[in-house]
Amino acid sequence: MSFNTALSGIQAASADLGIIGNNIANSATTGFKSSRAEFADVYASLLGASDTTIGSGVRLQNAAQQFSQGNITFTNNALDLAVSGAGFFQLDSNGSMIYSRAGNFSRDLNGFVVNNEGAALMARSADVNGNITGAVGPLQLDTSYVSPNPTSGLSANINFDAREPETDSSWLLVGGIPDTAGYNSSTTTTIYDSLGNDHTVAMFFSKLDPVTNPNEWNVRTMIDGTLVDTTPVTFNSDGTYNAPALIPITFNPAGGATVPQSFDIDLASSTQYGSNFAVNSLSQDGYTSGQLLGVDIDKEGIIFARYSNGQSQAEGQVVLANFANAQGLQPQGDTAWAESFSSGPPVVSEPGTAGLGLIQSNALEESNVDLTEQLVR
């Protein structure tokens, strides 16, 4: 009996060394969580046994997983993700859900965001307008061209210099180019048609006679060198804008785009003060087509796709899962765990909610192994 008792101690010590060795071996494994050997004494259950019953040795009761936070290191890959706080990434591995703290992700040939084993990262999807919906599924980044958006509105905040002399009577086009004597100031910008082709819009501002037409200017709009509109605009005596509310513009773009194309020029924020002409802001709502350049992921897990046309749009939101008893998760290898009866079902939500941690992009969580401690043990 004493031999078996001593043998159980040797086996327990060997199991402890095995756990320690596994921790040391995985000290550089991303997202790895160390384990700790927990032992229990063994007593024979005999009817009428006395209080002086001699124990029968020791047994390994549990290899308890330690889910403490690992250090976070920074990388140059936006799809490298680390969880700061509680929670696990939820992954689809051939139809089965697994959970991991290892966030070294990349895109596969179909645009899905996957780990090194090909398991797809789960996220809430976004609609065509970038609004996050409630559906959770494998995250797929659209690598196709984003469609162009034809300009439908142009907004300008301009100060018209009230001190300027009258020039409108001298307006003249010479070889399609306005004579500088016929306008006081001008500005240009770019708009886009239905195919994403760019067109140059030039606006020329000519002051009318301040005696017969006080506080009135003619706004002439040229597109690609062709005069398409002349509209008078007026200001109030205090310098604020009066009318019209919008200047409607229609032109016929070449090259197969939709014709005619219409958009409105909004000058309602403009002023006429006795100071130099100034374009305070000038914007339009169109853009050309674009390809996916990269992604940015914020701390709430929202994925923003950046395109070559300067646009960005939310593609989805990474979700995290937590468990009532994380120690009850079943290790699957490859730094992943599976749900078990002991762990309870996953509670899936957005980062930063329901007690879940936040996402750090361009970063990875190191193992939580204290190498010095393990070597000493």
Side-chain angles (χ1 to χ4, degrees):
M1 189 69 169
S2 59
F3 176 79
N4 289 333
T5 301
L7 186 60
S8 72
I10 294 172
Q11 292 172 335
S14 177
D16 190 18
L17 285 173
I19 292 173
I20 293 170
N22 186 59
N23 290 339
I24 293 173
N26 285 283
S27 60
T29 300
T30 301
F32 176 79
K33 298 303 176 184
S34 63
S35 296
R36 180 185 67 196
E38 295 180 348
F39 300 102
D41 54 5
V42 179
Y43 279 82
S45 298
L46 299 175
L47 184 63
S50 69
D51 293 338
T52 59
T53 301
I54 299 174
S56 300
V58 65
R59 68 180 178 89
L60 178 65
Q61 189 178 46
N62 187 30
Q65 301 173 95
Q66 308 298 301
F67 286 101
S68 60
Q69 178 80 46
N71 292 329
I72 292 178
T73 58
F74 295 96
T75 70
N76 293 318
N77 177 18
L79 291 178
D80 283 342
L81 305 177
V83 179
S84 180
F88 297 82
F89 296 111
Q90 188 179 40
L91 305 168
D92 182 350
S93 178
N94 297 319
S96 299
M97 289 297 142
I98 58 175
Y99 305 89
S100 179
R101 294 279 295 195
N104 37 347
F105 299 110
S106 60
R107 282 186 295 159
D108 68 8
L109 56 87
N110 295 313
F112 286 99
V113 177
V114 298
N115 68 4
N116 293 333
E117 300 302 316
L121 178 64
M122 301 296 284
R124 297 196 188 282
S125 59
D127 61 21
V128 293
N129 296 317
N131 301 311
I132 306 298
T133 67
V136 176
L139 175 61
Q140 185 178 25
L141 300 178
D142 188 1
T143 57
S144 60
Y145 270 94
V146 63
S147 300
N149 181 52
T151 299
S152 62
L154 188 156
S155 178
N157 179 343
I158 297 172
N159 182 64
F160 293 69
D161 191 345
R163 303 166 299 181
E164 290 281 356
E166 184 272 336
T167 58
D168 187 69
S169 60
S170 300
W171 173 264
L172 180 66
L173 288 176
V174 180
I177 300 174
D179 188 332
T180 56
Y183 63 93
N184 303 86
S185 49
S186 65
T187 188
T188 61
T189 189
T190 300
I191 62 169
Y192 298 92
D193 62 27
S194 61
L195 295 177
N197 298 315
D198 60 293
H199 302 272
T200 300
V201 174
M203 291 183 288
F204 297 88
F205 310 110
S206 305
K207 191 173 184 179
L208 276 69
D209 187 339
V211 176
T212 57
N213 302 94
N215 302 321
E216 187 170 352
W217 299 66
N218 264 334
V219 177
R220 291 180 172 87
T221 303
M222 297 185 71
I223 300 180
D224 296 335
T226 300
L227 182 65
V228 296
D229 181 77
T230 301
T231 297
V233 300
T234 59
F235 293 87
N236 299 310
S237 59
D238 62 357
T240 57
Y241 187 80
N242 180 29
L246 298 172
I247 301 175
I249 303 295
T250 300
F251 75 108
N252 295 317
T258 300
V259 293
Q261 179 174 339
S262 300
F263 65 93
D264 295 320
I265 297 177
D266 182 358
L267 296 175
S269 299
S270 297
T271 56
Q272 182 196 235
Y273 295 139
S275 56
N276 293 337
F277 172 82
V279 179
N280 300 311
S281 66
L282 183 61
S283 61
Q284 55 85 41
D285 58 4
Y287 50 83
T288 188
S289 58
Q291 281 185 302
L292 181 67
L293 291 181
V295 296
D296 297 310
I297 303 174
D298 69 11
K299 63 182 181 179
E300 283 82 27
I302 297 178
I303 304 104
F304 293 94
R306 290 181 286 105
Y307 295 94
S308 57
N309 58 2
Q311 301 299 305
S312 63
Q313 181 170 295
E315 292 286 319
Q317 183 176 23
V318 176
V319 295
L320 296 178
N322 210 355
F323 298 85
N325 176 28
Q327 296 245 358
L329 289 169
Q330 181 64 42
Q332 299 293 295
D334 297 318
T335 327
W337 291 266
E339 171 191 349
S340 72
F341 178 80
S342 178
S343 70
V347 177
V348 179
S349 190
E350 298 81 13
T353 65
L356 294 168
L358 297 173
I359 296 293
Q360 177 67 61
S361 180
N362 294 282
L364 292 172
E365 182 185 6
E366 298 178 346
S367 75
N368 64 351
V369 173
D370 185 331
L371 189 56
T372 301
E373 177 192 359
Q374 297 295 317
L375 289 172
V376 170
R377 291 181 61 190

